[in-house]
Amino acid sequence: MFIGLVAGLVGLALGTFGVLAYRVSERQRRLLDVDAEEPALPPGAAEVLAVVGRAFVVVDAVDGVVRASPAAYAYGLVRGHTVVHRELLDMTAGVRRDGVILEKQLELPRGPLGQGTIIVQVRAAMLGEEYILLLADDRTEITRTEEIRNDFVANVSHELKTPVGAISLLAEALESSADDELAVRRFAKRMHKESGRLAALVQDIIELSRLQGASVAQQGRPVDVNAVIAEAVDRSQLPAESKNIRIVVGGRTEAKVFGDQDLLVTALRNLIDNAIRYSPENTRVGIGVRSREGLVSISVTDQGEGLSPEDQERVFERFYRVDSARSRHTGGTGLGLSIVKHVASNHGGEVTLWSQPGQGSTFTLRLPEMEGQDDGEQQDAAAAAPGPARHSLEEPPVTQGPGAAGATERGAKA
């Protein structure tokens, strides 16, 4: 009897084990069936999308992301398995409803934080019977370049019309006042001023055009920075003397840079002229130069009113003027600092700004030193560098205001 009871228990255990094994096997089979029924792209679609060269997102019937390219995540179109932007979901709904291909250019937030946006050309179309494909092409840089070009053309047209119109009106006034000697002199003086302004504007436009076509890498040569400073200072003496402003040069470098000397002189002259234009009479403009960590830094410091943070963000834009009325009075074209920025970029360098209202401004042009210089070449360049245009070399560049010492350092950090 005892043996029968044991045999019964063993049989019950084996039966229970068999039932459990069957259920586990069924569950695994069902899981495999579910896996087999997971969304799959039409044959060949994955291979085509892999080489299409554009960001893509494939969504199912409920707009769940079936597949997305790394670029789609980088653009911020997809987060996890969700399409982020309502505009894209509206496009998928339209394709699903009407069965047509939709194409739009959208400006979308790049991420959940900040104000950055991305401009994308999006094309939505059916993929197979149940999926919708979104193809996105980043057009941000192209669109903004077109906007800058259009703004530039519009601004040039506007800026040219002003002096041309003034000259035309002055010519008519001059003709009608032929018998009034005082009026003739007054109108002639105004015409001379407007023609000078027009000539300066045309020259700056020509400089910008030349910069865009210049290849410093192919046409450059070793340039002595000391000679660049001397020539730029010499060219700026006349406007400085008209306001009794003294140009003070401090420092010297034996390092050379590789580039176009004429362009570098133009850039530095624009910085000096800008400092003179916005400095009060009977003040000083300081120019400092030094070499450090493979960079040659040239700083121009004025004793003007300084710039607000808002103006500092836009001061290098074409035709931007902090004070339009004052710039027109002083003859500024609004292109000088834009030219400086282009020259710095073409030479692999940069131009930075430190400024505070009431404490003046310091513009710093930094250029990479030319590699492969030897001591003999540097000494020869130092001996040959012209010096007549240097003034008060024993004095440091002019600075002012609390903590003004080290304005060059502040300019480098701007």
Side-chain angles (χ1 to χ4, degrees), residues 41 46-47 49 56-59 64-69 73:
L41 299 180
E47 290 75 6
L49 292 175
F56 68 84
V57 182
V58 179
V59 297
V65 176
V66 176
R67 185 168 299 186
S69 66
Y73 287 95

Side-chain angles (χ1 to χ4, degrees), residues 15 55 64 143 155 173 200 217 223 237 259 274 329 333 338 368 388 408:
T143 302
N155 287 333
V223 177
Q237 281 301 316
N274 186 73
H329 176 72
T333 64
S338 179
T408 301

